[in-house]
Amino acid sequence: MTSLEEWYKQMPVITRSYLTLSFLTTASCALEIISPFSVYFNARLIFRKLQVWRLFTNFFFFGHMGLDFLFHMFFLARYCRLLEEGSFRGRTADFFYMLLFGATLLTSIAPFVNIQFLGSSLTFMMVYVWGRRNQNVNMSFLGLFNFNAPWLPWVLLLFSVMLGSSPVVDLLGMGAGHIYYFLEDVYPRMSGRRWLKTPNALLSLFPRDEHAYVPPGAVDNQFRGRVVG
Protein backbone atom coordinates (compact mmCIF):
# COMPACT_ATOMS: atom_id res chain seq x y z
CA MET A 1 0.00 0.00 0.00
CA THR A 2 2.86 2.35 0.87
CA SER A 3 4.60 1.74 -2.44
CA LEU A 4 1.36 2.49 -4.33
CA GLU A 5 0.93 5.71 -2.37
CA GLU A 6 4.51 6.73 -3.06
CA TRP A 7 4.10 5.94 -6.77
CA TYR A 8 1.03 8.15 -6.88
CA LYS A 9 2.61 11.04 -4.97
CA GLN A 10 5.72 10.95 -7.15
CA MET A 11 3.71 11.57 -10.31
CA PRO A 12 4.09 15.05 -11.81
CA VAL A 13 1.09 17.34 -11.33
CA ILE A 14 -0.60 17.06 -14.75
CA THR A 15 -0.26 13.29 -14.94
CA ARG A 16 -1.55 12.84 -11.39
CA SER A 17 -4.47 15.20 -11.98
CA TYR A 18 -5.54 13.59 -15.26
CA LEU A 19 -5.24 10.06 -13.87
CA THR A 20 -7.22 11.00 -10.76
CA LEU A 21 -10.03 12.71 -12.67
CA SER A 22 -10.24 9.79 -15.10
CA PHE A 23 -10.43 7.22 -12.31
CA LEU A 24 -12.99 9.19 -10.29
CA THR A 25 -15.21 9.87 -13.31
CA THR A 26 -15.15 6.28 -14.54
CA ALA A 27 -15.61 4.86 -11.03
CA SER A 28 -18.52 7.24 -10.34
CA CYS A 29 -20.24 6.00 -13.50
CA ALA A 30 -19.57 2.37 -12.54
CA LEU A 31 -21.09 2.97 -9.08
CA GLU A 32 -24.01 4.81 -10.71
CA ILE A 33 -23.26 7.99 -8.79
CA ILE A 34 -23.38 9.77 -12.11
CA SER A 35 -24.43 8.56 -15.55
CA PRO A 36 -22.20 8.33 -18.62
CA PHE A 37 -25.05 10.14 -20.40
CA SER A 38 -24.28 13.22 -18.29
CA VAL A 39 -20.60 13.40 -19.27
CA TYR A 40 -20.41 12.32 -22.93
CA PHE A 41 -19.65 14.76 -25.76
CA ASN A 42 -22.74 16.09 -27.49
CA ALA A 43 -22.38 19.28 -29.55
CA ARG A 44 -26.11 19.99 -29.53
CA LEU A 45 -26.36 19.83 -25.73
CA ILE A 46 -23.19 21.89 -25.32
CA PHE A 47 -24.13 24.76 -27.61
CA ARG A 48 -27.93 24.72 -27.41
CA LYS A 49 -28.42 23.67 -23.79
CA LEU A 50 -25.16 25.26 -22.56
CA GLN A 51 -23.99 22.02 -20.91
CA VAL A 52 -20.39 23.19 -21.31
CA TRP A 53 -18.98 20.69 -18.81
CA ARG A 54 -19.28 18.04 -21.51
CA LEU A 55 -16.36 19.70 -23.32
CA PHE A 56 -14.13 18.44 -20.48
CA THR A 57 -15.81 15.46 -18.82
CA ASN A 58 -15.83 13.33 -21.97
CA PHE A 59 -12.03 13.15 -21.71
CA PHE A 60 -12.25 11.53 -18.26
CA PHE A 61 -14.52 8.57 -18.95
CA PHE A 62 -12.88 5.33 -20.13
CA GLY A 63 -15.74 2.86 -20.25
CA HIS A 64 -16.51 -0.06 -17.97
CA MET A 65 -14.09 -0.78 -15.14
CA GLY A 66 -12.55 -3.94 -16.49
CA LEU A 67 -9.41 -5.09 -18.26
CA ASP A 68 -9.85 -2.49 -20.99
CA PHE A 69 -10.05 0.27 -18.36
CA LEU A 70 -6.82 -0.93 -16.69
CA PHE A 71 -5.15 -1.05 -20.10
CA HIS A 72 -6.08 2.59 -20.78
CA MET A 73 -5.04 3.74 -17.30
CA PHE A 74 -1.66 2.07 -17.73
CA PHE A 75 -0.97 3.85 -21.00
CA LEU A 76 -2.30 7.16 -19.71
CA ALA A 77 -0.15 7.04 -16.58
CA ARG A 78 2.94 5.77 -18.38
CA TYR A 79 3.14 8.00 -21.43
CA CYS A 80 1.67 11.09 -19.83
CA ARG A 81 4.35 10.81 -17.15
CA LEU A 82 7.13 9.99 -19.62
CA LEU A 83 6.33 13.15 -21.55
CA GLU A 84 5.92 15.37 -18.50
CA GLU A 85 9.17 14.16 -16.93
CA GLY A 86 11.01 13.84 -20.26
CA SER A 87 10.75 16.34 -23.10
CA PHE A 88 8.48 18.60 -20.98
CA ARG A 89 10.60 18.43 -17.82
CA GLY A 90 10.30 21.73 -15.98
CA ARG A 91 7.79 22.99 -18.59
CA THR A 92 4.45 22.08 -17.05
CA ALA A 93 2.68 24.98 -18.76
CA ASP A 94 3.89 23.82 -22.18
CA PHE A 95 2.73 20.27 -21.48
CA PHE A 96 -0.68 21.44 -20.32
CA TYR A 97 -0.93 23.59 -23.45
CA MET A 98 -0.12 20.54 -25.58
CA LEU A 99 -3.05 18.70 -23.99
CA LEU A 100 -5.35 21.70 -24.50
CA PHE A 101 -4.28 21.94 -28.14
CA GLY A 102 -4.91 18.24 -28.69
CA ALA A 103 -8.24 18.33 -26.87
CA THR A 104 -9.35 21.28 -29.01
CA LEU A 105 -8.43 19.49 -32.23
CA LEU A 106 -10.22 16.32 -31.17
CA THR A 107 -13.29 18.23 -30.02
CA SER A 108 -13.55 20.04 -33.34
CA ILE A 109 -13.50 16.72 -35.23
CA ALA A 110 -15.71 14.67 -32.88
CA PRO A 111 -19.10 15.86 -34.26
CA PHE A 112 -18.16 14.61 -37.72
CA VAL A 113 -17.08 11.11 -36.66
CA ASN A 114 -19.74 10.47 -33.99
CA ILE A 115 -17.38 9.86 -31.05
CA GLN A 116 -18.72 10.61 -27.58
CA PHE A 117 -15.62 10.05 -25.43
CA LEU A 118 -12.22 11.40 -26.44
CA GLY A 119 -9.96 10.31 -23.57
CA SER A 120 -8.55 7.37 -25.51
CA SER A 121 -7.74 9.60 -28.49
CA LEU A 122 -5.94 12.10 -26.25
CA THR A 123 -3.94 9.26 -24.69
CA PHE A 124 -3.02 8.03 -28.17
CA MET A 125 -1.86 11.54 -29.03
CA MET A 126 0.56 11.42 -26.09
CA VAL A 127 1.85 8.01 -27.19
CA TYR A 128 2.43 9.37 -30.70
CA VAL A 129 4.32 12.49 -29.54
CA TRP A 130 6.44 10.46 -27.13
CA GLY A 131 7.31 7.99 -29.88
CA ARG A 132 8.36 10.71 -32.32
CA ARG A 133 10.54 12.38 -29.69
CA ASN A 134 12.23 9.11 -28.70
CA GLN A 135 12.97 7.64 -32.11
CA ASN A 136 15.93 5.55 -31.01
CA VAL A 137 14.17 3.77 -28.15
CA ASN A 138 13.87 0.05 -28.89
CA MET A 139 10.63 -1.63 -27.82
CA SER A 140 9.11 -5.10 -27.88
CA PHE A 141 5.52 -6.22 -28.35
CA LEU A 142 4.69 -9.15 -26.08
CA GLY A 143 8.19 -10.46 -26.78
CA LEU A 144 7.16 -11.34 -30.34
CA PHE A 145 9.02 -8.67 -32.29
CA ASN A 146 11.06 -5.52 -31.74
CA PHE A 147 10.51 -2.06 -33.16
CA ASN A 148 11.52 1.54 -32.57
CA ALA A 149 9.33 3.91 -30.53
CA PRO A 150 7.79 5.85 -33.49
CA TRP A 151 6.09 2.59 -34.55
CA LEU A 152 4.41 2.10 -31.15
CA PRO A 153 1.08 3.81 -32.01
CA TRP A 154 0.86 1.80 -35.24
CA VAL A 155 1.51 -1.46 -33.39
CA LEU A 156 -1.15 -0.59 -30.81
CA LEU A 157 -3.56 0.38 -33.59
CA LEU A 158 -3.06 -2.96 -35.33
CA PHE A 159 -3.51 -4.83 -32.05
CA SER A 160 -6.70 -2.89 -31.32
CA VAL A 161 -8.12 -3.68 -34.76
CA MET A 162 -7.27 -7.37 -34.32
CA LEU A 163 -9.35 -7.31 -31.12
CA GLY A 164 -12.30 -5.96 -33.08
CA SER A 165 -12.13 -2.29 -32.07
CA SER A 166 -12.71 0.58 -34.48
CA PRO A 167 -9.49 2.29 -35.61
CA VAL A 168 -11.13 5.73 -35.73
CA VAL A 169 -10.46 6.65 -32.08
CA ASP A 170 -6.77 5.74 -32.33
CA LEU A 171 -6.33 7.39 -35.72
CA LEU A 172 -7.79 10.64 -34.39
CA GLY A 173 -5.22 10.66 -31.59
CA MET A 174 -2.40 9.93 -34.02
CA GLY A 175 -3.60 12.71 -36.31
CA ALA A 176 -3.70 15.22 -33.46
CA GLY A 177 -0.28 14.07 -32.30
CA HIS A 178 1.21 14.44 -35.76
CA ILE A 179 -0.16 17.98 -36.17
CA TYR A 180 1.27 18.97 -32.78
CA TYR A 181 4.63 17.34 -33.50
CA PHE A 182 4.90 19.09 -36.87
CA LEU A 183 3.98 22.53 -35.53
CA GLU A 184 6.10 22.25 -32.38
CA ASP A 185 9.17 20.27 -33.50
CA VAL A 186 9.39 20.27 -37.30
CA TYR A 187 8.06 23.62 -38.51
CA PRO A 188 10.26 25.77 -36.20
CA ARG A 189 13.37 24.03 -37.55
CA MET A 190 12.25 24.66 -41.12
CA SER A 191 11.23 28.29 -40.74
CA GLY A 192 12.68 29.62 -37.50
CA ARG A 193 9.13 30.63 -36.52
CA ARG A 194 6.58 29.11 -34.22
CA TRP A 195 2.81 28.92 -34.43
CA LEU A 196 2.23 27.28 -31.06
CA LYS A 197 3.02 29.61 -28.18
CA THR A 198 2.03 28.80 -24.63
CA PRO A 199 -0.21 31.61 -23.28
CA ASN A 200 1.28 33.81 -20.59
CA ALA A 201 -1.63 32.91 -18.30
CA LEU A 202 -0.49 29.27 -18.25
CA LEU A 203 3.14 30.31 -17.80
CA SER A 204 2.06 32.34 -14.76
CA LEU A 205 0.07 29.42 -13.38
CA PHE A 206 2.91 26.94 -13.95
CA PRO A 207 6.22 28.87 -13.79
CA ARG A 208 8.96 27.34 -15.88
CA ASP A 209 11.88 25.73 -14.08
CA GLU A 210 15.17 27.51 -14.74
CA HIS A 211 16.66 24.11 -15.58
CA ALA A 212 13.77 23.19 -17.87
CA TYR A 213 14.55 20.84 -20.73
CA VAL A 214 13.93 22.31 -24.19
CA PRO A 215 14.07 19.79 -27.05
CA PRO A 216 16.50 20.59 -29.88
CA GLY A 217 14.74 22.72 -32.48
CA ALA A 218 11.94 23.75 -30.16
CA VAL A 219 11.20 27.40 -29.53
CA ASP A 220 11.55 28.81 -26.04
CA ASN A 221 8.78 31.28 -25.15
CA GLN A 222 10.96 33.05 -22.64
CA PHE A 223 13.58 33.95 -25.22
CA ARG A 224 11.38 35.99 -27.59
CA GLY A 225 10.59 33.15 -29.95
CA ARG A 226 14.21 32.18 -30.57
CA VAL A 227 14.75 28.68 -31.89
CA VAL A 228 16.80 26.64 -29.46
CA GLY A 229 19.30 24.09 -30.77
Side-chain angles (χ1 to χ4, degrees):
M1 188 66 178
T2 303
S3 59
L4 181 62
E5 182 180 356
E6 291 177 353
W7 170 78
Y8 178 77
K9 289 182 177 179
Q10 289 172 0
M11 284 184 178
V13 59
I14 300 299
T15 301
R16 184 170 63 247
S17 299
Y18 192 16
L19 184 67
T20 301
L21 287 170
S22 298
F23 176 81
L24 290 177
T25 301
T26 306
S28 296
C29 290
L31 296 173
E32 298 184 352
I33 298 174
I34 59 176
S35 169
F37 293 105
S38 65
V39 299
Y40 78 99
F41 178 84
N42 184 304
R44 183 180 62 83
L45 293 177
I46 291 170
F47 296 108
R48 293 186 181 181
K49 301 294 185 178
L50 298 181
Q51 298 181 6
V52 293
W53 65 84
R54 295 177 183 273
L55 287 170
F56 311 101
T57 54
N58 79 90
F59 287 96
F60 304 135
F61 179 74
F62 285 84
H64 299 292
M65 295 194 71
L67 186 60
D68 188 60
F69 171 75
L70 293 177
F71 176 81
H72 281 100
M73 289 300 97
F74 168 77
F75 275 91
L76 190 159
R78 176 171 173 78
Y79 291 99
C80 193
R81 182 173 184 172
L82 284 174
L83 277 176
E84 193 170 359
E85 293 182 339
S87 60
F88 286 98
R89 185 177 71 247
R91 300 190 300 128
T92 302
D94 295 335
F95 182 56
F96 188 46
Y97 185 59
M98 184 201 82
L99 295 181
L100 288 178
F101 176 79
T104 302
L105 278 180
L106 295 170
T107 299
S108 65
I109 298 172
F112 303 100
V113 292
N114 195 31
I115 292 180
Q116 289 77 39
F117 300 103
L118 294 166
S120 296
S121 295
L122 190 61
T123 301
F124 232 78
M125 174 189 174
M126 290 186 274
V127 172
Y128 184 92
V129 173
W130 178 84
R132 294 303 298 263
R133 288 185 169 179
N134 295 271
Q135 298 191 21
N136 296 320
V137 174
N138 197 317
M139 309 190 75
S140 175
F141 182 73
L142 302 177
L144 299 176
F145 58 91
N146 298 326
F147 56 91
N148 288 339
W151 290 99
L152 176 61
W154 295 101
V155 172
L156 294 176
L157 173 64
L158 179 60
F159 182 66
S160 179
V161 170
M162 290 173 60
L163 293 178
S165 300
S166 170
V168 175
V169 172
D170 297 347
L171 287 172
L172 281 180
M174 293 168 65
H178 185 75
I179 292 173
Y180 176 83
Y181 175 75
F182 177 81
L183 293 177
E184 179 70 8
D185 292 24
V186 178
Y187 183 75
R189 293 185 181 184
M190 296 168 52
S191 64
R193 294 174 295 175
R194 185 188 190 192
W195 285 0
L196 296 180
K197 296 182 180 180
T198 304
N200 289 330
L202 289 181
L203 291 172
S204 299
L205 185 62
F206 302 108
R208 182 174 289 181
D209 192 313
E210 61 180 10
H211 302 296
Y213 173 76
V214 180
V219 180
D220 193 325
N221 284 358
Q222 296 184 353
F223 291 93
R224 299 181 182 179
R226 178 171 63 84
V227 177
V228 179

